[in-house]
């Protein structure tokens, strides 16, 4: 087992741990240094820093303080890494922490986070998942069990000052086009709950005013939520500051493409084993803007799927021009309506699409006026037959089990 470079404590609030931060800023001090070729372990809290409990109430999802997320471990300095280099990160392995072999999925309240289908499912709900080795199942969603595809939802290097300024400028311009919108168009810097790792005093106060929130994916990677960035994959990150400053968190046990319920994955605390290397001048050599990666040779193997199509015509019949966002939403809604015929509530079906190893694709993007998005639902995850046949659907799920509600 590699040496544990960053150790966290699940029983201490994350804002009291110097190896954790929840904003991006070039001045964040490195919490540890490694050399090219080193292998090491990094422990991470879950993305909310322990705000969600393993129980049967969704009050914690409804009331979660989203200005605090995401809590990341790092930044880690790599000796010799300079701006313009590529940091090569092998994700050697990922696992759970002792005593924390569970995860959660939230449908977020329309007024606090929302989600991809928030107009249809506006209320907070929660599913808790138990881990059985590589498999997971939920007491809130009967009839499904599947193998995990563990990955960090969020990983990337610190931005330079000029890159940070670029982010803040373009995101402020977008926000200002509809400042009253709910959910907001983007999450701008918010100093009150900024946790800047080892920074203290006036330097921290100043940096917190402009430090970027961790919500979106950006040029450095960040919150990409790519389920295939799993153990065994190799990622090439652009470096913007001396040492790189690699940080990570938001570990998922599993996730469907799109992470559609907002925290649609199965969220967990855990650890990553990593190995780092450097390609000098790699950004220019390979024309890199955003990270690139090689997937793992090991992933869950689900061969049989039922595939749902969606086109860029919204639920009210309005025509959109080649809009993959609308098309994927319709594919998801079509899948949910189908799954409801087998006994699931809409919320259960929504949560399955967010968590199971569902493939989402842009299948057609040129056939005016309709984009075509497809959603690949693996049929082997169900313990009953979910395929269509001449006799009509036979519900595989009966009873009153449902996602946890608010009280
Ligand atoms: Zn997540």
């Amino acid at each position: 087992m590699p040496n544990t470079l960053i150790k966290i404590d699940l029983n201490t609030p994350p804002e009291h741990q110097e190896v954790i931060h929840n904003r991006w800023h070039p001045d964040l001090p490195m919490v540890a240094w490694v050399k090219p070729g080193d292998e090491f372990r990094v422990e991470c809290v879950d993305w909310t820093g322990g705000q969600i409990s393993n129980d049967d109430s969704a009050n914690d999802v409804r009331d979660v303080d989203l200005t605090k997320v995401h809590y990341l471990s790092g930044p880690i300095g790599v000796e010799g890494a300079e701006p313009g280099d590529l940091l090569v990160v092998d994700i050697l392995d990922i696992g759970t922490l002792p005593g924390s072999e569970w995860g959660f999925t939230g449908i977020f309240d329309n007024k606090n986070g929302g989600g991809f289908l928030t107009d249809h499912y506006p209320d907070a709900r929660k599913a808790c998942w138990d881990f059985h080795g590589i498999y997971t199942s939920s007491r809130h969603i009967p009839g499904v069990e599947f193998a995990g595809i563990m990955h960090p939802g969020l990983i990337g290097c610190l931005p330079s000052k000029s890159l940070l300024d670029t982010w803040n400028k373009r995101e402020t311009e977008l926000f200002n086009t509809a400042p009253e919108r709910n959910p907001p168009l983007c999450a701008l810097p918010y100093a009150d709950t900024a946790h800047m790792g080892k920074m203290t005093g006036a330097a921290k106060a100043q940096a917190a005013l402009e430090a970027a929130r961790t919500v979106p994916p950006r040029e450095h990677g960040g919150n990409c939520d790519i389920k295939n960035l799993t153990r065994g994959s190799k990622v090439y990150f652009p470096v913007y500051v001396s040492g790189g400053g690699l940080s990570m968190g938001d570990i998922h046990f599993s996730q469907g493409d799109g992470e559609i319920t907002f925290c649609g994955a199965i969220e967990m605390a855990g650890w990553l084993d990593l190995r780092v290397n450097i390609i000098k001048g790699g950004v220019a050599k390979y024309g890199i803007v955003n990270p690139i990666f090689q997937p793992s040779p090991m992933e869950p193997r689900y061969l049989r799927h039922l595939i749902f199509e969606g086109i860029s015509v919204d639920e009210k019949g309005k025509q959109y021009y080649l809009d993959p966002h609308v098309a994927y939403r319709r594919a998801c809604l079509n899948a949910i309506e189908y799954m409801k015929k087998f006994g699931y509530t809409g919320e259960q079906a929504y949560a399955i699409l967010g968590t199971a190893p569902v493939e989402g694709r842009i299948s057609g993007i040129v056939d005016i006026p309709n984009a075509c998005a497809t959603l690949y639902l693996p049929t082997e995850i169900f313990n009953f037959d979910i395929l269509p046949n001449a006799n009509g659907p036979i519900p595989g799920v009966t009873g009153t089990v449902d996602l946890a509600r608010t009280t």
Side-chain angles (χ1 to χ4, degrees):
M1 172 179 130
N3 135 60
T4 300
L5 189 73
I6 295 184
K7 191 157 188 56
I8 53 95
D9 180 0
L10 292 177
N11 298 312
T12 300
E15 55 269 29
H16 296 154
Q17 301 184 54
E18 287 189 341
V19 294
I20 293 174
H21 64 100
N22 66 3
R23 297 290 191 270
W24 294 111
H25 194 282
D27 296 341
L28 280 167
M30 306 296 175
V31 300
W33 283 88
V34 295
K35 294 188 177 66
D38 280 357
E39 297 180 7
F40 52 91
R41 179 165 291 193
V42 178
E43 296 180 349
C44 302
V45 297
D46 83 88
W47 74 299
T48 70
Q51 294 188 60
I52 309 298
S53 301
N54 187 0
D55 62 21
D56 298 314
S57 165
N59 290 1
D60 49 11
V61 170
R62 178 194 62 202
D63 301 333
V64 65
D65 185 347
L66 291 174
T67 72
K68 294 181 171 181
V69 301
H70 303 68
Y71 284 112
L72 309 178
S73 295
I76 298 164
V78 182
E79 290 178 16
E82 292 298 332
D85 295 345
L86 283 177
L87 186 65
V88 186
V89 179
D90 284 290
I91 301 177
L92 301 174
D93 204 357
I94 307 178
T96 54
L97 295 168
S100 185
E101 293 90 358
W102 72 283
F104 64 90
T105 302
I107 295 175
F108 280 67
D109 188 282
N110 181 263
K111 290 182 279 307
N112 190 24
F116 190 50
L117 306 179
T118 192
D119 293 342
H120 299 267
Y121 298 100
D123 302 321
R125 297 293 187 86
K126 181 170 76 178
C128 296
W129 298 82
D130 294 312
F131 304 152
H132 319 280
I134 68 165
Y135 294 104
T136 189
S137 60
S138 170
R139 64 183 179 273
H140 297 118
I141 308 176
V144 284
E145 182 175 76
F146 47 85
I149 181 165
M150 281 197 219
H151 57 276
L154 203 161
I155 183 167
C157 290
L158 294 182
S160 64
K161 181 66 166 66
S162 78
L163 185 58
L164 176 67
D165 290 346
T166 299
W167 294 350
N168 281 335
K169 178 172 186 293
R170 73 190 182 197
E171 289 176 25
T172 302
E173 285 170 1
L174 175 67
F175 183 90
N176 287 341
T177 61
E180 307 299 327
R181 189 179 187 276
N182 176 58
L185 287 174
C186 58
L188 296 180
Y190 183 73
D192 287 10
T193 49
H195 175 37
M196 307 294 288
K198 290 178 145 185
M199 287 182 109
T200 55
K204 178 198 168 183
Q206 186 59 36
L209 291 172
E210 60 181 8
R213 298 291 311 279
T214 57
V215 180
R218 298 188 181 94
E219 289 85 341
H220 67 150
N223 193 24
C224 290
D225 289 315
I226 301 169
K227 77 176 191 307
N228 306 85
L229 208 64
T230 187
R231 51 182 159 189
S233 59
K234 182 191 285 286
V235 200
Y236 304 80
F237 291 104
V239 172
Y240 308 99
V241 302
S242 262
L246 182 70
S247 289
M248 69 216 69
D250 188 24
I251 299 178
H252 299 157
F253 189 87
S254 179
Q255 183 207 293
D257 282 344
E259 204 192 11
I260 61 172
T261 73
F262 180 66
C263 108
I266 299 175
E267 308 286 345
M268 57 177 261
W271 51 262
L272 297 109
D273 286 349
L274 305 174
R275 179 172 60 212
V276 292
N277 279 289
I278 297 168
I279 297 178
K280 295 303 291 179
V283 168
K285 279 179 188 165
Y286 292 102
I288 300 297
V289 177
N290 297 76
I292 56 177
F293 73 99
Q294 297 175 249
S296 174
M298 290 173 54
E299 283 183 358
R301 182 171 52 210
Y302 289 107
L303 302 178
R304 297 171 187 274
H305 295 91
L306 192 58
I307 301 170
F308 295 86
E309 301 179 8
I311 56 171
S312 51
V313 176
D314 77 9
E315 296 87 314
K316 296 193 179 100
K318 185 177 176 199
Q319 179 73 59
Y320 286 76
Y321 176 73
L322 298 179
D323 186 330
H325 188 271
V326 174
Y328 196 53
R329 187 171 75 231
R330 296 306 305 276
C332 293
L333 289 167
N334 290 344
I336 289 170
E337 287 310 306
Y338 182 91
M339 293 161 74
K340 282 162 69 174
K341 302 295 186 192
F342 292 83
Y344 286 115
T345 64
E347 287 80 2
Q348 287 175 323
Y350 186 16
I352 290 171
L353 297 186
T355 55
V358 164
E359 304 279 327
R361 299 190 188 173
I362 297 173
S363 295
I365 198 75
V366 293
D367 298 311
I368 54 171
N370 283 335
C372 178
T374 44
L375 182 149
Y376 289 52
L377 181 66
T379 54
E380 296 146 289
I381 67 172
F382 299 96
N383 66 8
F384 56 91
D385 183 5
I386 200 162
L387 292 175
N389 68 63
N391 299 321
I394 300 169
V397 178
T398 52
T400 57
V401 171
D402 199 357
L403 265 57
R405 297 164 176 268
T406 54
T407 52

